[in-house]
Amino acid sequence: MRVKINRDVCPAQLAFCERCLGKFLKEPLGYERRCFETLEDDGSEILTVDLHTGSHNVVFELTPEERKMVAGEGWAYFVDFNVPMYRNKVDKNG
C-alpha cells in the first residue's frame, strides 16, 4: 500500500497528527484522514508513506512490525529535523 500525506493541509498540532497517523498505521484499510492526498492498495505488505510537512518530504517504507513501532513512538521520532508542535510555528527555512 502507498499513501501520500500532506500535513500542511491540517491545522492539528503534532500530538494529534502522530495519533492520527498511528491509528492509520494500525488499521490502514479502515482509516483515512483529511491530510491524505492519495491512498493506493498495491498489494504489497510494505506500507509506503510519502509525508510532506513544512519544507520537508519524508518517505517511510514500513513492514507490518515497523508500522506498530512507528504507531507507538510517533513518526516525528524517526525524522532528522525538528517538527514543530503547533502549525503556526512552522520553520519556513527548513
mmCIF file of all heavy atoms in Angstrom, residues 3 12 24 32 34-35 37 50 64 82 88-89 94:
data_model
loop_
_atom_site.group_PDB
_atom_site.id
_atom_site.type_symbol
_atom_site.label_atom_id
_atom_site.label_comp_id
_atom_site.label_asym_id
_atom_site.label_seq_id
_atom_site.Cartn_x
_atom_site.Cartn_y
_atom_site.Cartn_z
ATOM 1 N N VAL A 3 0.634 5.559 0.469
ATOM 2 C CA VAL A 3 -0.186 6.697 0.865
ATOM 3 C C VAL A 3 0.659 7.960 0.793
ATOM 4 O O VAL A 3 1.839 7.947 1.121
ATOM 5 C CB VAL A 3 -0.787 6.501 2.280
ATOM 6 C CG1 VAL A 3 0.279 6.421 3.335
ATOM 7 C CG2 VAL A 3 -1.770 7.597 2.616
ATOM 8 N N ALA A 12 -4.019 20.635 12.795
ATOM 9 C CA ALA A 12 -3.857 19.942 14.078
ATOM 10 C C ALA A 12 -2.412 19.992 14.568
ATOM 11 O O ALA A 12 -1.469 19.948 13.780
ATOM 12 C CB ALA A 12 -4.303 18.496 13.964
ATOM 13 N N PHE A 24 -3.924 5.082 11.647
ATOM 14 C CA PHE A 24 -3.883 4.583 10.276
ATOM 15 C C PHE A 24 -2.879 3.437 10.138
ATOM 16 O O PHE A 24 -3.159 2.434 9.481
ATOM 17 C CB PHE A 24 -3.523 5.701 9.294
ATOM 18 C CG PHE A 24 -3.232 5.195 7.910
ATOM 19 C CD1 PHE A 24 -4.269 4.818 7.071
ATOM 20 C CD2 PHE A 24 -1.932 5.066 7.461
ATOM 21 C CE1 PHE A 24 -4.008 4.324 5.798
ATOM 22 C CE2 PHE A 24 -1.660 4.580 6.203
ATOM 23 C CZ PHE A 24 -2.703 4.214 5.372
ATOM 24 N N GLU A 32 -8.944 6.807 7.212
ATOM 25 C CA GLU A 32 -8.447 7.807 6.263
ATOM 26 C C GLU A 32 -8.744 9.195 6.828
ATOM 27 O O GLU A 32 -9.812 9.430 7.387
ATOM 28 C CB GLU A 32 -9.124 7.632 4.917
ATOM 29 C CG GLU A 32 -8.553 8.528 3.853
ATOM 30 C CD GLU A 32 -9.124 8.222 2.488
ATOM 31 O OE1 GLU A 32 -9.772 7.188 2.306
ATOM 32 O OE2 GLU A 32 -8.909 9.049 1.594
ATOM 33 N N ARG A 34 -8.137 13.739 6.518
ATOM 34 C CA ARG A 34 -8.191 14.829 5.546
ATOM 35 C C ARG A 34 -6.829 15.193 4.954
ATOM 36 O O ARG A 34 -6.767 15.815 3.914
ATOM 37 C CB ARG A 34 -8.818 16.064 6.180
ATOM 38 C CG ARG A 34 -8.054 16.595 7.365
ATOM 39 C CD ARG A 34 -8.764 17.781 7.998
ATOM 40 N NE ARG A 34 -8.160 18.036 9.290
ATOM 41 C CZ ARG A 34 -8.823 18.398 10.339
ATOM 42 N NH1 ARG A 34 -10.116 18.558 10.287
ATOM 43 N NH2 ARG A 34 -8.210 18.611 11.471
ATOM 44 N N CYS A 35 -5.737 14.808 5.596
ATOM 45 C CA CYS A 35 -4.415 15.144 5.075
ATOM 46 C C CYS A 35 -3.938 14.149 4.011
ATOM 47 O O CYS A 35 -2.909 14.355 3.391
ATOM 48 C CB CYS A 35 -3.395 15.208 6.209
ATOM 49 S SG CYS A 35 -3.173 13.646 7.072
ATOM 50 N N GLU A 37 -3.622 12.631 0.552
ATOM 51 C CA GLU A 37 -3.838 13.051 -0.828
ATOM 52 C C GLU A 37 -4.101 11.861 -1.732
ATOM 53 O O GLU A 37 -4.893 11.957 -2.658
ATOM 54 C CB GLU A 37 -2.644 13.855 -1.337
ATOM 55 C CG GLU A 37 -2.507 15.180 -0.617
ATOM 56 C CD GLU A 37 -1.391 16.044 -1.157
ATOM 57 O OE1 GLU A 37 -0.419 15.502 -1.740
ATOM 58 O OE2 GLU A 37 -1.492 17.269 -1.004
ATOM 59 N N ASP A 50 4.499 8.576 2.035
ATOM 60 C CA ASP A 50 5.180 9.747 1.487
ATOM 61 C C ASP A 50 4.586 10.945 2.222
ATOM 62 O O ASP A 50 3.457 11.345 1.960
ATOM 63 C CB ASP A 50 4.918 9.820 -0.009
ATOM 64 C CG ASP A 50 5.642 10.961 -0.692
ATOM 65 O OD1 ASP A 50 6.297 11.775 -0.003
ATOM 66 O OD2 ASP A 50 5.538 11.046 -1.931
ATOM 67 N N PRO A 64 4.896 -4.654 8.432
ATOM 68 C CA PRO A 64 3.859 -4.675 9.469
ATOM 69 C C PRO A 64 4.423 -4.463 10.883
ATOM 70 O O PRO A 64 3.817 -3.751 11.692
ATOM 71 C CB PRO A 64 3.230 -6.058 9.321
ATOM 72 C CG PRO A 64 3.387 -6.363 7.853
ATOM 73 C CD PRO A 64 4.750 -5.791 7.509
ATOM 74 N N ASN A 82 13.627 19.048 13.141
ATOM 75 C CA ASN A 82 12.745 19.455 14.222
ATOM 76 C C ASN A 82 11.336 19.653 13.682
ATOM 77 O O ASN A 82 11.116 20.473 12.792
ATOM 78 C CB ASN A 82 13.260 20.753 14.849
ATOM 79 C CG ASN A 82 12.437 21.179 16.029
ATOM 80 O OD1 ASN A 82 11.794 20.362 16.684
ATOM 81 N ND2 ASN A 82 12.442 22.465 16.326
ATOM 82 N N ASN A 88 1.377 26.886 13.541
ATOM 83 C CA ASN A 88 1.731 28.286 13.326
ATOM 84 C C ASN A 88 3.192 28.573 13.610
ATOM 85 O O ASN A 88 3.645 29.674 13.453
ATOM 86 C CB ASN A 88 0.836 29.218 14.150
ATOM 87 C CG ASN A 88 1.000 28.998 15.638
ATOM 88 O OD1 ASN A 88 1.591 27.998 16.061
ATOM 89 N ND2 ASN A 88 0.463 29.900 16.441
ATOM 90 N N LYS A 89 3.964 27.556 13.985
ATOM 91 C CA LYS A 89 5.385 27.748 14.262
ATOM 92 C C LYS A 89 6.235 26.954 13.260
ATOM 93 O O LYS A 89 7.317 26.520 13.570
ATOM 94 C CB LYS A 89 5.699 27.301 15.683
ATOM 95 C CG LYS A 89 4.983 28.153 16.702
ATOM 96 C CD LYS A 89 5.478 27.917 18.081
ATOM 97 C CE LYS A 89 4.680 28.770 19.016
ATOM 98 N NZ LYS A 89 5.348 29.106 20.203
ATOM 99 N N GLY A 94 13.295 25.547 6.711
ATOM 100 C CA GLY A 94 13.692 24.148 6.653
ATOM 101 C C GLY A 94 13.908 23.555 7.967
ATOM 102 O O GLY A 94 14.215 22.474 8.205
#
